[in-house]
Amino acid sequence: MKLKLKRPLAFFDLETTGTNIGADRIVEISVIKLHPDGSDEVKTWRVHPGIPIPLESSLVHGIYDEHIQNEKYFKELGQDVADFIGESDLAGYNSNKFDIPMLMEEFLRAGVSFTLDARHFVDVQNIFHQMEQRTLKAAYQFYCNKAIENAHSAEADTRATMEVLLAQIERYENVEWEDKKGNRTVPVVGDVEALHVFTNLSKPVDFAGRMVYNEQGEETINFGKHKGKRVEDVLNAEPSYYSWMMQGDFPLYTKRKLEEIYNRWNAKRIAERQANKAAQPKPAEQPQAAPKAEYPKKEYVKPDHTRNQQYQNKPYQKKDEPAKPVNEDMLQQLALKFKKG
């Protein structure tokens, strides 16, 4: 049984300064691009990590500071790596937990546009561990009956990984496997999509495993006090948890996936708030008051002060009138006025 490809499958391996995805750097990357017609092409890059290589790491992969002092930084090589991989699916040994998140971290740090959406990921280690429980060296010996020459060089490990997968497909043709629930299937087949499903049983959201999908396909926290809880439930109960993770020492790709979940959650919350607001009854409209009667406006007439101007600043003069003749009534009034009591 041969591996049937609908598009290229890029096997790759990284040698790094260490195993901390957020802090360590790539010093070597090798990619073997296997095409649907069976042909392959390989490219290997040495990378200046920008930080010293710890001795314990150099003792594993054999790359020391003097070996990369004249090499380019990943920000100068990243676009070439992305272009070579192109739209390929990805395969590696322990690639889901280490190589893919480490590579994505370098792409994001360098500002290189590279998406994992719509790709399939085949982790050869997961097939091996679930079927035989061994290391890469043992796997190569077990499946291919060979010893890895120049082990821990990126290209040698990458080619060994590719040969192991091809041998696994041949070995496990029609071999049943039983999952934790007792379901029996034939998982190792010559189909990348099926291998993707089988080697991603933990269903990581961010590859670093900080978030995983539950059986309902919902993102859940996979560490700490909220382990097992839906991410959206955590955001509802403790919104500050988002800020804590975004400011914490988490891989950039983990933060990107968390931001996607947060934006979706926040948009849903805004939509629900608007829906609740629209569903609330509107206050009753107050009856309009009857229009006030309009009266004609009185025309204002400025008072004319010149009319009495001729009387201003003149002393009062008593009018001369002829004296009235004394009569009987007048005499009686005078008598009453001066009458002694």
Side-chain angles (χ1 to χ4, degrees), residues 56-264:
E56 56 269 25
S57 297
S58 295
L59 291 174
V60 173
H61 50 56
I63 303 173
Y64 294 81
D65 289 330
E66 59 266 26
H67 296 151
I68 47 81
Q69 60 184 352
N70 297 322
E71 301 293 344
K72 293 181 179 180
Y73 294 92
F74 191 86
K75 63 182 179 181
E76 302 172 87
L77 300 171
Q79 192 60 56
D80 290 340
V81 176
D83 291 342
F84 181 68
I85 295 175
E87 299 300 318
S88 303
D89 293 320
L90 300 176
Y93 194 86
N94 194 32
S95 51
N96 285 358
K97 291 184 178 179
F98 182 74
D99 297 85
I100 291 176
M102 175 66 81
L103 181 61
M104 283 304 303
E105 199 75 2
E106 291 280 25
F107 278 141
L108 290 168
R109 194 179 292 117
V112 175
S113 177
F114 187 86
T115 180
L116 297 177
D117 296 341
R119 296 181 193 269
H120 293 124
F121 315 103
V122 179
D123 192 329
V124 174
Q125 185 192 60
N126 285 352
I127 296 176
F128 181 46
H129 282 185
Q130 292 176 116
M131 301 300 286
E132 301 294 343
Q133 309 290 313
R134 294 290 197 280
T135 63
L136 175 60
K137 182 178 179 180
Y140 195 57
Q141 181 68 45
F142 182 82
Y143 290 107
C144 305
N145 198 25
K146 300 178 185 177
I148 301 176
E149 297 181 6
N150 196 19
H152 293 299
S153 72
E155 185 171 338
D157 287 354
T158 302
R159 186 165 294 279
T161 300
M162 181 180 71
E163 291 183 21
V164 167
L165 175 61
L166 297 176
Q168 286 174 329
I169 293 172
E170 293 291 341
R171 184 179 184 87
Y172 297 119
E173 183 177 8
N174 299 323
V175 175
E176 287 189 342
W177 173 79
E178 185 175 339
D179 63 17
K180 294 179 180 179
K181 296 181 179 180
N183 300 317
R184 300 182 67 86
T185 59
V186 178
V188 184
V189 296
D191 180 80
V192 171
E193 186 173 354
L195 294 174
H196 163 82
V197 173
F198 185 53
T199 61
N200 288 273
L201 295 179
S202 64
K203 300 179 181 179
V205 174
D206 60 335
F207 286 99
R210 298 296 187 271
M211 295 179 290
V212 296
Y213 292 103
N214 61 19
E215 293 183 356
Q216 290 73 40
E218 302 165 319
E219 301 95 343
T220 63
I221 300 295
N222 196 38
F223 70 99
K225 64 180 182 180
H226 292 306
K227 184 174 182 179
K229 297 180 182 178
R230 294 194 322 144
V231 177
E232 291 194 8
D233 291 339
V234 174
L235 293 175
N236 286 327
E238 189 179 342
S240 61
Y241 197 76
Y242 168 76
S243 299
W244 176 76
M245 284 192 65
M246 294 300 288
Q247 296 170 10
D249 186 20
F250 292 93
L252 295 178
Y253 191 66
T254 298
K255 293 180 179 180
R256 170 183 281 189
K257 299 305 291 184
L258 177 63
E259 185 177 22
E260 291 177 3
I261 298 170
Y262 176 85
N263 290 338
R264 185 188 67 210

Side-chain angles (χ1 to χ4, degrees), residues 5 8-9 11 32-42 159 162:
L5 300 178
L9 181 61
F11 293 83
I32 299 178
K33 195 172 181 179
L34 183 62
H35 295 279
D37 63 2
S39 64
D40 66 76
E41 50 184 324
V42 58
R159 186 165 294 279
M162 181 180 71

